[in-house]
Amino acid sequence: MRLVGRASVVIIPPMTSSTACAWRVAVVGSGPAAFYTAEALMKSDHEVRVDLFERLPVPFGLVRGGVAPDHQKIKGVVKVYEKIAASPCFRFFGNVRIGSDLTIDDLAAHYHQICYAFGCESDQKLGIPGEELAGVSAATDFVGWYNGHPDHRAHHFDLSQTRRVAIVGNGNVAMDVARVLLAPPDALATTDIAEHAMPVLRASAVREVVLLGRRGPAQAAFSPTELEEIAHLPGLDVVVRPEEAELDPLSAAWLAKDGSRSQERNVRNLQEHAGKGLGSNPRKLRCRFLVAPVELRGTDDQLRSVRLQHMRLVAGDDGTPRPLPRDSFEDLDVDLVFKAIGYRGVPVPGVPFEAKKGIVPNVDGRVVEQPGSTVRTGHYCAGWCKRGPTGLIGTNSLCAKATVESMRTDHADGRQLSPTHGDITQLLQQRGIDAVTWADWQRLDTYERRQGEAAGKVRQKVTDAAEMLRVLRSLRG
Ligand code: NAP
């Protein structure tokens, strides 16, 4: 959806002596990688001017639309981004979709360098029968829905008849979804959770969430703190089958040689839970291992069960334990399945895309036309669209710094674009695009916080992009 700009007066801070500026950079995206790129650029040169372009009217990417609402401490990282945005060398252009509102050629005509930091906006598919059944959803849709992301607000979730949910994958997204499903609703009500999510969670009948890991406990992808956090929820037992908590000889050797402290801690925690049995609490988080879904089964297009194939682990080419199917199956009755098997990049028109990996092909952050081919001068990438959807928020800081090192070197060597135009605001105005400025966002931010205060929560998000624009136009005065 594109929100065409309309008649209101947009006051975008002018770029100080823009055409004279020796180093102008456009960053596409406004999540962690985009802000860390801006920060590293501005630290490396006081003369650089950085413009961030975001398709939504609001900034912060997955920090706003992905981080779980009960993880407000993690969301506190936006304070860092607010400091970055306060620099006179920085501008924000929200509600501007690169690839349609502005093309890559438009950016190339205005900037010396372009850095793509648009993340991975879609989800991976399982590719098994039954994926289209009602009751099967991408975890990313549920996450976006409870976080009030404009792209996901229209999904419909009804948990009132749902007792058992299976989540495919055992990464941190799986853990976030499990926690939101199993936490007492009151613990979420005071957060910035989307208003539409609370009645659904209050009416939830979910008693059991089953995490389906295709490998063993040593390869669980969640952070130990996530398991520890969920284990502390009131009225909940973490249940692990003792035979699945046992390490096979390959995993034991791999853990001893290559395992991280986190992986060791996960194994310890899981084995402790395995020793506690079923427990007596009404709600259960079951962590299953060495099982992979091979079919989602339903009647009348409605999911009823998931067929699981048992796995064993064998050493991959690099020695990492990989799952290999055994000739053994089980059926698990479930009311809902969430696929939490990772995000996937979406191509942006005009930007090279490596479909197999779902990323922008690059060498050290320098965009190449395709893997192994020539560098596209002046084009860079950072964050998930550079390296794939892995790592925590802070990982993007290191990733952005590495890209900026390439950008800085190329700028110093004169390997950059040759923009023929100065300030981009003229073009935006010509096209009638109502770009959202940082000052606009600050007004909307204050508005959401005040609405939240009145409702007894941290923030009441505006979840519809058109409504965001309507509100911020009214706040412009
Ligand atoms: P992830 O960490 O990559 O986990 C994906 C999970 O899906 C893994 O367990 C993986 O198993 C499994 N999987 C992949 N393909 C599968 C298939 N075809 N069949 C069955 N299982 C499959 O991804 P994520 O949970 O989406 O998280 C993305 C990134 O964001 C991660 O770096 C994560 O740490 C981060 N994140 C952090 C937080 C937080 O800090 N609280 C919250 C959310 C996300 P294998 O390991 O066997 O491939």
Side-chain angles (χ1 to χ4, degrees):
M1 178 177 55
R2 238 248 339 93
L3 294 153
V4 185
R6 290 101 313 224
S8 53
V9 180
V10 190
I11 304 162
I12 294 170
M15 184 180 261
T16 38
S17 56
S18 59
T19 36
C21 229
W23 193 9
R24 299 197 303 273
V25 180
V27 177
V28 183
S30 71
F35 275 96
Y36 292 128
T37 299
E39 181 184 40
L41 282 164
M42 294 188 298
K43 274 189 181 164
S44 74
D45 188 317
H46 295 304
E47 294 301 312
V48 71
R49 296 289 179 270
V50 183
D51 288 348
L52 240 78
F53 292 90
E54 163 61 52
R55 70 179 174 89
L56 293 176
V58 291
F60 303 142
L62 279 181
V63 175
R64 181 178 164 105
V67 173
D70 57 342
H71 279 175
Q72 289 297 317
K73 253 194 188 161
I74 297 180
K75 284 184 193 244
V77 73
V78 300
K79 290 204 172 71
V80 175
Y81 308 152
E82 284 162 355
K83 278 196 186 139
I84 296 167
S87 164
C89 304
F90 174 99
R91 295 188 303 179
F92 175 71
F93 293 88
N95 190 36
V96 181
R97 188 188 281 271
I98 301 304
S100 51
D101 293 337
L102 294 179
T103 65
I104 300 305
D105 286 346
D106 291 330
L107 292 183
H110 289 80
Y111 295 92
H112 297 96
Q113 293 179 331
I114 306 165
C115 182
Y116 305 109
F118 45 69
C120 292
E121 291 210 303
S122 186
D123 58 287
Q124 299 283 358
K125 306 289 175 261
L126 275 170
I128 60 173
E131 214 166 341
E132 70 297 337
L133 289 170
V136 181
S137 299
T140 50
D141 287 347
F142 187 59
V143 169
W145 173 80
Y146 64 60
N147 266 320
H149 189 295
D151 291 356
H152 299 287
R153 64 190 293 275
H155 295 306
H156 178 73
F157 293 101
D158 177 359
L159 302 173
S160 63
Q161 307 298 317
T162 303
R163 289 193 73 78
R164 183 187 283 153
V165 178
I167 305 181
V168 187
N170 58 15
N172 284 331
V173 168
M175 271 298 183
D176 280 347
V177 168
R179 206 177 57 256
V180 166
L181 289 168
L182 292 168
D186 282 346
L188 295 163
T190 55
T191 68
D192 64 348
I193 194 164
E195 199 177 4
H196 56 236
M198 279 319 297
V200 176
L201 293 173
R202 286 199 190 282
S204 166
V206 173
R207 291 293 170 270
E208 191 175 318
V209 173
V210 189
L211 293 193
L212 302 173
R214 63 180 172 178
R215 297 193 284 163
Q219 296 85 29
F222 49 70
S223 309
T225 44
E226 299 297 311
L227 180 62
E228 289 157 10
E229 184 181 351
I230 206 166
H232 280 104
L233 287 182
L236 177 117
D237 294 304
V238 174
V239 181
V240 184
R241 294 184 180 191
E243 68 277 20
E244 290 181 357
E246 275 307 306
L247 289 192
D248 61 297
L250 175 66
S251 291
W254 174 75
L255 192 63
K257 186 167 168 276
D258 297 322
S260 64
R261 283 201 188 150
S262 292
Q263 285 160 330
E264 281 171 14
R265 199 161 126 198
N266 270 343
V267 170
R268 238 186 356 258
N269 285 341
L270 288 161
Q271 291 183 341
E272 257 178 53
H273 285 297
K276 288 185 194 159
L278 259 183
S280 55
N281 282 304
R283 288 189 297 278
K284 310 286 179 196
L285 172 73
R286 291 182 189 269
C287 297
R288 295 290 313 272
F289 295 99
L290 297 167
V291 286
V294 286
E295 188 180 350
L296 299 157
R297 296 179 161 182
T299 46
D300 302 328
D301 293 332
Q302 176 64 46
L303 173 78
R304 304 283 173 207
S305 66
V306 49
R307 169 145 273 222
L308 301 173
Q309 184 160 23
H310 298 138
M311 300 280 136
R312 67 188 176 88
L313 295 174
V314 294
D317 292 344
D318 60 354
T320 308
R322 296 263 145 240
L324 202 71
R326 290 167 48 201
D327 192 16
S328 155
F329 298 85
E330 70 178 85
D331 291 319
L332 179 71
D333 289 341
V334 289
D335 303 302
L336 265 185
V337 162
F338 286 115
K339 297 171 286 175
I341 58 172
Y343 287 81
R344 189 178 161 75
V346 177
V348 168
V351 182
F353 187 68
E354 190 179 345
K356 203 169 157 207
K357 293 188 182 164
I359 60 167
V360 177
N362 70 93
V363 177
D364 298 333
R366 293 181 178 94
V367 174
V368 294
E369 297 301 336
Q370 47 188 290
S373 83
T374 48
V375 166
R376 190 186 275 199
T377 302
H379 297 249
Y380 303 83
C381 56
W384 278 9
C385 74
K386 168 184 169 188
R387 60 176 207 279
T390 59
L392 305 178
I393 290 173
T395 316
N396 293 299
S397 174
L398 295 175
C399 179
K401 279 180 189 154
T403 292
V404 167
E405 195 46 40
S406 297
M407 296 170 79
R408 210 182 49 77
T409 307
D410 292 353
H411 169 66
D413 292 347
R415 282 194 302 268
Q416 56 187 19
L417 298 162
S418 309
T420 47
H421 294 63
D423 197 339
I424 194 90
T425 53
Q426 260 185 1
L427 183 63
L428 288 168
Q429 279 164 357
Q430 271 169 23
R431 296 206 177 146
I433 293 161
D434 191 359
V436 171
T437 65
W438 193 255
D440 285 335
W441 155 244
Q442 286 175 313
R443 289 183 202 106
L444 185 63
D445 182 31
T446 306
Y447 171 86
E448 286 189 336
R449 284 173 192 280
R450 288 204 179 128
Q451 295 291 109
E453 219 172 289
K457 54 193 289 201
V458 171
R459 170 190 300 274
Q460 192 73 283
K461 283 180 185 166
V462 181
T463 61
D464 175 64
E467 175 68 2
M468 287 171 181
L469 288 178
R470 196 194 61 71
V471 171
L472 64 82
R473 280 187 199 126
S474 74
L475 296 172
R476 274 177 190 157

